[in-house]
Amino acid sequence: MQTDYSRAILKYLMDYSNMDYPVNIHQIYEHLFNGQELDDNKKRGKLDTIRKNIVGLHTNGLIEMDTEFSENTGKRERYKKEDDDVAIWYEQKLDTRYALILIQKIMEMNNLSLNDKKNLVQAICDCAGSKIMESASYAQNVIKSNPLYDLTEKNGVKDSILFEGQQRYKAGNGEIPDIWILLSNIYNVLEKKKRKKISFKLYKYNSKGKFEVIHDDREYVVSPYFVTERAGMYWLIGLQDSESEDAVNGHKKNLGFYPIDMMKKINILEEDARDISEAFDGKEMTKEEKYKYIIEHQQVFYDEAEKIVIRVHKKNEDESENNTAYNLIYRTFGDDFYMLNEEETYDRILVIKSPYFIVKWAIENIRDIEVETETIRDRIRNEIESLDKIYPA
């Protein structure tokens, strides 16, 4: 009975190949036998069997080849030297370049433990070709040059700057609690099940890095809709019960953002979740509108979004050209703004955003932009007056 190497071949291709890094039949042979992946003393016919297995994997759609092997005229399939020119690879589920972007993003997540990050990075590498990612120097540079990588209590950077008599505390919540309970309920809709309300308690850190419940141990009851990531944190977007004491901070209709890493004692209730349309005067919310909601409430401020006109400075106070203004605009809004008209010293653009976010953002970036909408200007003035009381001249 002829030996079948198909599973070993497929594993090798999944680990070591993709469209950009194909291999040939001889490399597969060298890995399987000289690399001692397989212990087979039968020298004769190995390449012929590998050739046949590769053809079978390709026929079944499990691997890709840029051309077919040379035609065989004999009774049995035979390996030929020209077969080395055939490029063979496994079509990875994740492109190497996208994998690097995901890895970088995961390393920046503030509410994932180091162990969670390492497990996620490994899973991403497996989806992109683990040995390719492992051997690619640029992949290792992305991971290991990140200051969050492999930081331990013993050699943590904070220890090196402490003075005698100083103390520091380790934060007590290293992982996202009960996240799977939350997500399984949110995505019940994918299994045609009815989504349920959830209850939870919100916590805060004290000065010693320990968790303390807030709002006098009050239980939140929320109809959950979707999860988003902003500023390196996971947030639940949901509609708090209007019967609650301060539903969504007093906004009975608006959706609220809840920091998942501060949520504990998450429970799925028997009561069906309220429909998301209740937050929008009975209108249904499409996927596009959900995305739009997240964009308009940038940095998880959930006051009602408004149309706001902003002046983008084209010149500095000394009349020199301003070279940074549109860097700020595109880095903040991407292409999610509208050009109104151009003036000599500034351009006017329109954004639809949370006013609270724009107020904070405008104060930070006074050299590059100026808010034109008068109601927002009033709020900026009030904010500056408050700052002046804290930092008087």
Side-chain angles (χ1 to χ4, degrees), residues 359-360 362-364 366 376-392:
V359 168
K360 303 294 184 184
I363 292 173
E364 291 176 1
I366 56 176
I376 308 301
R377 291 174 73 91
D378 285 340
R379 293 181 61 167
I380 292 172
R381 293 185 189 102
N382 291 338
E383 197 78 11
I384 292 173
E385 286 176 7
S386 299
L387 286 171
D388 190 50
K389 292 177 182 176
I390 300 172
Y391 306 104

Side-chain angles (χ1 to χ4, degrees), residues 78-141:
R78 306 292 297 174
Y79 164 75
K80 296 184 179 181
K81 186 68 176 174
E82 53 265 35
D83 288 350
D84 280 350
D85 296 330
V86 178
I88 308 161
W89 69 93
Y90 177 77
E91 192 69 52
Q92 301 291 350
K93 303 300 182 186
L94 185 63
D95 184 276
T96 308
R97 293 164 294 179
Y98 295 142
L100 294 176
I101 294 172
L102 287 174
I103 288 171
Q104 183 64 42
K105 190 67 179 175
I106 284 170
M107 298 305 287
E108 294 170 359
M109 293 300 295
N110 295 330
N111 53 2
L112 283 181
S113 70
L114 183 60
N115 192 52
D116 284 340
K117 290 178 183 179
K118 287 182 176 180
N119 290 338
L120 281 169
V121 167
Q122 185 58 56
I124 289 172
C125 288
D126 290 342
C127 291
S130 59
K131 299 302 179 183
I132 294 173
M133 296 293 290
E134 183 180 302
S135 61
S137 59
Y138 52 82
Q140 290 300 308
N141 287 337

Side-chain angles (χ1 to χ4, degrees), residues 154-168:
K154 185 176 180 180
N155 62 8
V157 292
K158 283 190 177 181
D159 283 337
S160 65
I161 59 172
L162 289 178
F163 299 97
E164 186 177 355
Q166 285 186 315
Q167 248 184 325
R168 77 178 181 94

Side-chain angles (χ1 to χ4, degrees), residues 228-231 233 235 257 294 297-303 354:
T228 187
E229 180 272 321
R230 278 288 180 270
M233 307 289 280
W235 299 80
F257 289 80
I294 295 170
H297 295 81
Q298 199 164 346
Q299 299 299 322
V300 297
F301 293 119
Y302 50 84
D303 50 338
S354 150

Side-chain angles (χ1 to χ4, degrees), residues 321-367:
E321 185 178 359
N322 186 329
N323 295 313
T324 62
Y326 276 105
N327 292 349
L328 172 67
I329 296 301
Y330 279 99
R331 284 173 176 169
T332 304
F333 306 120
D335 58 0
D336 188 42
F337 68 91
Y338 305 89
M339 180 66 73
L340 297 180
N341 59 287
E342 300 181 9
E343 304 288 344
E344 183 177 349
T345 59
Y346 60 84
D347 295 335
R348 298 173 72 246
I349 67 170
L350 173 70
V351 298
I352 304 173
K353 296 288 179 182
S354 150
Y356 196 79
F357 163 62
I358 292 296
V359 168
K360 303 294 184 184
W361 176 77
I363 292 173
E364 291 176 1
N365 298 287
I366 56 176
R367 288 188 294 183

